[in-house]
Amino acid sequence: TTDWVQDAAREQLRRKARRKRNAGLWDAGRFDWRHRIRESYDAAQGWIVVTIIGAAIGVNAAFLNIITEWLADIKLGHCKTAFYLNENFCCWGEDNGCDDWQKWTGFSPINYLIYILFAILFACTSATLVKSYAPYAAGSGISEIKCIIAGFVMKGFLGFWTLVIKSLALPLAIGSGLSVGKEGPSVHYAVCTGNVISRLFAKYRRNASKTREILSACAAAGVAVAFGSPIGGVLFSLEEMSSYFPLKTMWRSYFCALVATAVLSAMNPFRTGQLVMFQVHYDRSWHFFEILFFILLGIFGGLYGAFVMKWNLRVQAFRKKYLTNYAILEATLLAAATAIVCYPNSFLRIDMTESMEILFLECEGAEDYQGLCERDHRFRNVVSLLLATVIRILFVIISYGCKVPAGIFVPSMAIGASFGRSVGIIVQALHEANPQSPFFAACLPDVPCITPGTYAFLGAAAALSGIMHITVSVVVIMFELTGALTYILPTMIVVGVTKAVSELFGKGGIADRMIWFSGFPFLDNKEDHNLGVPVSHAMIKDVTSIPTNGMTLQQIEALLAEDNYQGFPIVEDEHSKILVGYIGRTELRYAVDRAKRERTLSPQAKCTFAPPPSADVTTPGADIITPGLVRMDSFNTIGFAEPSTTGSASSSSSSSNFINFSRYVDTTPVSAHPRLPLETVMELFRKIGPRVILIEYHGKLMGLVTVKDCLKYQFKVEAMEEVANNGQHSGHGQGNGAEQQGVVSNDERLWELMQRVAGWVSDKVSIASGGRIRLRDSLDLPRETLAGGAGARVGSGTNRTVRSQGGVRDDQILDGTEDEDEDGVELENRQTYPHGSTSR
């Protein structure tokens, strides 16, 4: 994790050094126009970077929109005049198709088969690209980005290849018809764009806190281009993504979202002047009696979110345990199943954004899809919409999380829109059947009273709020989509009801649940804890510390050879345990390597970590030097700033039997009393962001605590409370264990059934192909490989899993014993550690 305290100290020293340099130039009369330009560029560099990033995000979004539309339509037919045009562009100006757009054949079963084959091809290609080149491109990415912005480092997650593969595989995944969306992945590729471009500038390559501002701004721009909602994107970044969002970050986010949407609007990918396909405008007002039905939509949104989150996590657990080795096959079969089931339903056959555009529209003009506005087809359309709602919910549960770029925003909105439109049609039918009822007294005669499209719009808002547990940003996004100022109040009512219902089933949306499920060390600032214990209950007491004197170089290197520790407290001696300071593992490794490079050292050379007496004492008027800060330019990392002395790391002694590491020791680590409430310590981690807090009593080291230690204790307490709340009667523990065992047993039986079906299919394919095609080889892996190849281990408490570049490792993230990967770091040259806990 990033140590924000050290990062802030580095930035302060950088500014101080620059001020001193400029003052010296002024005094010498050498501060000329070149230095003025350099200073102006340094001050404006943040806005320049944000402008470049915003433009790149807008261009990428425009191309992705065009490609996604074409891939979605090519499954149904082709344009005779130009093969590269989708149906809208081929039939430009026409409402209900044209002669230039032609289905593949005149025989419906053949069209059905072509539709399925295209879906399989797109999904297989997308999954293959992800698995072969950038495994981190799978999924949505929002939960991981939340952790990265909070300071957790994931190597390669925001890298260049992740950006490329995400941009290539995302249109294929959407075009395959899988029940996944592009809005969540839009945030991921936007943040990847910001990370890749910002690394070209030294100011951001060497400063994690400034990079955090850029990543927050990119998250806002990603939502902005996905929904055509710049203000909604800023609010989404504030409400959902960033745990630290000062005013400067808000301005940067606003400007980045503005540039991205302006570029997208200039490119005009839909040639309609609209930023998104389902942008509509409502000119009718609503009536107060409709609030009853709006509340119904809000209840549906809350129930939908709770249901999907519960069962999707079950599916994710099953996927990690059994299906990790079959990522491509799983995505391909899901696409095939989705195509087979969805093609007969006219609202599921087309792309989800296109279906929302249809469902949002008012019944005016010549455009009408499948008789949606005709009175004679109401019953058929209501049944079709309700079936579409149920089928889409089931496919979202099993599809979200498969190894292709996959979001859940648009599928949820499509589900809410189909349910809302069906409710609107029913309400419209009730009004027309009883126009004189006092309930509909507010309706004017000879004027359409009920607008079913607005119910679809409100249903989409409810489902999106229910799955993500966000409120204000949803209202603003939906307002910017429609421009309907009169529908802000109904949207607020629907979202408020959704939020209230969602809170009954637990806190946190799908992104927060995935953070919990994956075991990332993330302290959610939206949660209030009342643990009621001091920090001594959660701290690590058995701490490996380093005495100021007495250790040899051989002992230090043996300590560094162990992977269990990411830092070491410095004490006067092992007996007194008087705390002197703290040194990180990376700083110590660098110091040892530097000393060995500069002169020949004996393995028995004595090492000292005792700070000089002047480090803690400053005279009045003297410059205050932050002790223990060391600059590592040769390591291509700005760590702590080195004192202004020159010479080697061990210049305090010329003897080959003595090494002085004192300048690498942080003599002012964040420390706390063992009786300080654990809630206060967690607040310290949230507010100032140290990597580790040392626990001392009367100057004596008692232990240390990291974010993971706080989370481990929190999970343990929550598990005990859950057992206590549910186990009011005797023997509940055995019942709960039996229930969990039943879940595992059901998963086992389901996996065995899937193996038998897959084996039967592979045998038939082998027989039909004369043995040339063999699908069974991949099904004969030993059981240990299937269950342990991904290392997936899912359960309560701290037995969580951690995703690595190759899949899932069997490490327990919260134990702080992660190995360091050798691949590139997305925050390269800024962060110290790629994974995990600071120390044990």
Side-chain angles (χ1 to χ4, degrees):
T1 54
T2 304
D3 194 321
W4 300 112
V5 178
Q6 296 179 4
D7 192 72
R10 288 194 292 268
E11 177 63 13
Q12 290 170 3
L13 288 167
R14 187 186 73 86
R15 293 180 179 178
K16 182 178 178 181
R18 192 178 66 185
R19 284 197 303 267
K20 280 188 175 183
R21 183 176 64 251
N22 292 341
L25 291 172
W26 271 109
D27 294 339
R30 292 185 296 166
F31 196 83
D32 56 6
W33 61 272
R34 296 183 184 86
H35 293 95
R36 292 180 184 274
I37 292 176
R38 189 179 296 116
E39 287 297 305
S40 299
Y41 170 73
D42 188 76
Q45 192 175 106
W47 299 103
I48 296 172
V49 171
V50 165
T51 303
I52 297 172
I53 292 171
I57 292 171
V59 171
N60 197 11
F63 282 113
L64 289 181
N65 284 335
I66 295 170
I67 296 171
T68 302
E69 274 195 79
W70 182 78
L71 291 174
D73 286 348
I74 201 67
K75 296 185 298 183
L76 298 171
H78 64 96
C79 186
K80 292 189 294 184
T81 56
F83 187 80
Y84 55 84
L85 295 179
N86 66 351
E87 185 175 5
N88 285 338
F89 280 94
C90 186
C91 301
W92 191 255
E94 302 288 338
D95 289 329
N96 293 309
C98 63
D99 294 334
D100 289 338
W101 180 261
Q102 188 175 22
K103 293 185 178 181
W104 287 109
T105 67
F107 188 50
S108 294
I110 300 297
N111 291 334
Y112 190 9
L113 180 62
I114 293 174
Y115 181 90
I116 296 170
L117 292 177
F118 268 119
I120 291 173
L121 175 64
F122 294 160
C124 183
T125 306
S126 178
T128 302
L129 286 173
V130 169
K131 183 175 181 179
S132 302
Y133 297 102
Y136 275 145
S140 171
I142 287 182
S143 56
E144 290 88 349
I145 292 171
K146 286 183 67 173
C147 297
I148 290 173
I149 292 177
F152 184 49
V153 183
M154 296 186 205
K155 298 176 24 168
F157 192 84
L158 301 180
F160 175 76
W161 275 110
T162 303
L163 169 62
V164 172
I165 299 303
K166 193 95 175 184
S167 300
L168 292 176
L170 178 58
L172 291 167
I174 305 301
S176 69
L178 285 169
S179 295
V180 296
K182 64 181 174 63
E183 275 61 22
S186 295
V187 176
H188 190 182
Y189 75 67
V191 176
C192 286
T193 303
N195 179 67
V196 170
I197 293 177
S198 66
R199 282 174 56 183
L200 303 176
F201 298 82
K203 183 177 180 180
Y204 293 94
R205 185 168 60 248
R206 297 174 174 178
N207 192 298
S209 59
K210 288 190 174 296
T211 304
R212 176 166 59 174
E213 295 178 10
I214 296 296
L215 300 187
S216 298
C218 294
V223 174
V225 296
F227 289 105
S229 172
I231 301 176
V234 175
L235 290 175
F236 177 83
S237 182
L238 168 64
E239 187 176 1
E240 179 67 13
M241 300 301 297
S242 302
S243 56
Y244 178 75
F245 204 82
L247 186 62
K248 183 170 69 171
T249 302
M250 186 182 74
W251 280 114
R252 294 273 168 85
S253 302
Y254 172 77
F255 187 73
C256 188
L258 174 64
V259 172
T261 49
V263 171
L264 180 62
S265 179
M267 295 190 68
N268 197 11
F270 302 112
R271 294 295 182 267
T272 60
Q274 298 177 349
L275 294 177
V276 291
M277 179 182 271
F278 47 86
Q279 195 163 3
V280 291
H281 299 279
Y282 295 126
D283 54 9
R284 298 176 190 167
S285 184
W286 57 281
H287 307 88
F288 276 96
F289 70 83
E290 293 181 274
I291 291 179
L292 179 64
F293 303 107
F294 297 160
I295 292 174
L296 175 63
L297 293 177
I299 294 173
F300 167 79
L303 296 176
Y304 160 78
F307 180 81
V308 169
M309 283 188 284
K310 175 183 177 180
W311 288 101
N312 179 255
L313 289 179
R314 287 279 301 273
V315 172
Q316 296 276 41
F318 182 86
R319 177 177 287 120
K320 281 188 174 182
K321 188 173 183 181
Y322 298 104
L323 303 179
T324 307
N325 293 316
Y326 308 114
I328 298 176
L329 181 62
E330 180 199 2
T332 305
L333 293 179
L334 278 175
T338 304
I340 292 170
V341 174
C342 293
Y343 185 85
N345 189 296
S346 56
F347 296 104
L348 295 176
R349 183 185 312 158
I350 56 178
D351 182 60
M352 285 181 286
T353 53
E354 187 178 353
S355 70
M356 277 192 287
E357 180 190 26
I358 293 168
L359 295 173
F360 285 176
L361 288 177
E362 298 176 337
C363 287
E364 294 177 355
E367 185 172 357
D368 186 17
Y369 180 78
Q370 300 292 327
L372 189 62
C373 295
E374 297 179 12
R375 182 179 302 182
D376 297 339
H377 297 158
R378 276 180 183 165
F379 179 77
R380 185 193 69 187
N381 283 326
V382 168
V383 173
S384 181
L385 286 168
L386 291 177
L387 277 175
T389 302
V390 175
I391 292 172
R392 185 80 76 192
I393 287 175
L394 296 178
F395 276 111
V396 164
I397 289 174
I398 62 176
S399 300
Y400 181 68
C402 66
K403 301 307 178 185
V404 296
I408 202 169
F409 283 27
V410 164
S412 297
M413 293 177 69
I415 289 167
S418 58
F419 179 79
R421 184 79 186 206
S422 62
V423 172
I425 294 174
I426 293 172
V427 175
Q428 187 181 42
L430 289 175
H431 168 253
E432 293 182 1
N434 303 280
Q436 306 301 323
S437 172
F439 186 76
F440 300 109
C443 295
L444 297 176
D446 302 325
V447 176
C449 181
I450 306 298
T451 306
T454 60
Y455 285 77
F457 158 77
L458 294 172
L464 178 58
S465 177
I467 198 67
M468 292 299 298
H469 281 221
I470 52 179
T471 53
V472 180
S473 50
V474 170
V475 174
V476 175
I477 286 171
M478 301 308 291
F479 164 66
E480 289 185 282
L481 280 177
T482 62
L485 188 64
T486 54
Y487 278 88
I488 283 186
L489 182 59
T491 308
M492 293 176 67
I493 292 173
V494 168
V495 170
V497 173
T498 300
K499 179 69 172 176
V501 174
S502 300
E503 293 292 325
L504 298 176
F505 297 94
K507 296 184 181 295
I510 187 69
D512 299 300
R513 304 290 177 92
M514 288 307 300
I515 291 174
W516 174 89
F517 180 77
S518 300
F520 299 137
F522 180 75
L523 284 175
D524 194 350
N525 57 1
K526 292 180 286 190
E527 289 188 15
D528 295 325
H529 303 289
N530 187 21
L531 301 173
V533 296
V535 67
S536 58
H537 283 61
M539 71 180 185
I540 297 175
K541 299 177 182 178
D542 184 17
V543 178
T544 298
S545 56
I546 296 178
T548 55
N549 297 293
M551 291 195 73
T552 64
L553 180 61
Q554 186 178 16
Q555 291 174 316
I556 294 294
E557 291 191 312
L559 200 59
L560 288 173
E562 300 182 27
D563 292 332
N564 296 332
Y565 313 106
Q566 301 287 4
F568 306 94
I570 307 297
V571 296
E572 283 191 357
D573 56 71
E574 292 294 345
H575 177 70
S576 66
K577 291 284 187 180
I578 299 300
L579 182 63
V580 174
Y582 182 84
I583 186 168
R585 173 191 179 88
T586 302
E587 285 85 358
L588 183 56
R589 179 76 269 172
Y590 166 76
V592 170
D593 292 342
R594 180 176 175 180
K596 291 170 69 176
R597 279 198 312 268
E598 292 174 348
R599 60 196 173 98
T600 303
L601 293 171
S602 168
Q604 300 304 317
K606 297 296 183 180
C607 303
T608 180
F609 295 86
S614 60
D616 297 325
V617 181
T618 57
T619 57
D623 291 333
I624 299 176
I625 299 177
T626 304
L629 300 182
V630 42
R631 180 166 146 202
M632 296 177 287
D633 288 341
S634 61
F635 191 60
N636 201 19
T637 303
I638 289 189
F640 288 135
E642 185 178 307
S644 57
T645 59
T646 59
S648 69
S650 54
S651 59
S652 59
S653 175
S654 60
S655 170
S656 62
N657 293 322
F658 182 80
I659 315 172
N660 187 355
F661 291 130
S662 61
R663 69 183 59 183
Y664 300 95
V665 177
D666 180 9
T667 57
T668 58
V670 179
S671 59
H673 195 281
R675 288 200 295 269
L676 190 67
L678 183 57
E679 295 86 354
T680 306
V681 173
M682 295 170 77
E683 202 65 22
L684 285 175
F685 279 117
R686 290 194 193 98
K687 291 296 193 297
I688 64 175
R691 188 181 292 120
V692 60
I693 294 179
L694 303 179
I695 310 301
E696 62 170 337
Y697 181 69
H698 290 178
K700 183 178 180 181
L701 178 67
M702 306 297 294
L704 59 81
V705 64
T706 65
V707 171
K708 296 181 181 181
D709 300 321
C710 296
L711 289 171
K712 281 199 292 187
Y713 187 83
Q714 175 191 333
F715 294 152
K716 183 174 71 173
V717 170
E718 289 175 353
M720 293 173 61
E721 288 179 352
E722 183 178 355
V723 171
N725 292 334
N726 296 332
Q728 298 298 327
H729 57 84
S730 61
H732 170 76
Q734 292 84 344
N736 190 44
E739 181 181 350
Q740 293 181 1
Q741 187 63 32
V743 171
V744 174
S745 178
N746 290 335
D747 287 350
E748 295 277 357
R749 286 196 291 270
L750 177 60
W751 175 240
E752 290 173 1
L753 176 63
M754 292 172 65
Q755 282 185 312
R756 285 198 296 268
V757 172
W760 181 83
V761 171
S762 65
D763 290 341
K764 295 299 181 183
V765 171
S766 179
I767 293 172
S769 63
R772 287 185 293 271
I773 301 177
R774 294 179 58 84
L775 302 179
R776 194 176 180 85
D777 294 343
S778 61
L779 300 173
D780 295 333
L781 293 173
R783 180 54 184 276
E784 293 77 9
T785 305
L786 301 178
R793 185 163 53 170
V794 181
S796 60
T798 62
N799 291 337
R800 309 294 177 83
T801 59
V802 49
R803 291 173 53 183
S804 67
Q805 188 73 357
V808 183
R809 293 203 319 263
D810 195 18
D811 294 336
Q812 298 177 357
I813 273 196
L814 300 184
D815 283 350
T817 57
E818 300 80 3
D819 297 328
E820 298 185 6
D821 296 335
E822 297 298 332
D823 299 332
V825 185
E826 88 288 341
L827 296 182
E828 190 176 52
N829 300 332
R830 309 175 196 147
Q831 319 284 4
T832 306
Y833 311 124
H835 272 303
S837 171
T838 307
S839 54
R840 286 283 302 273

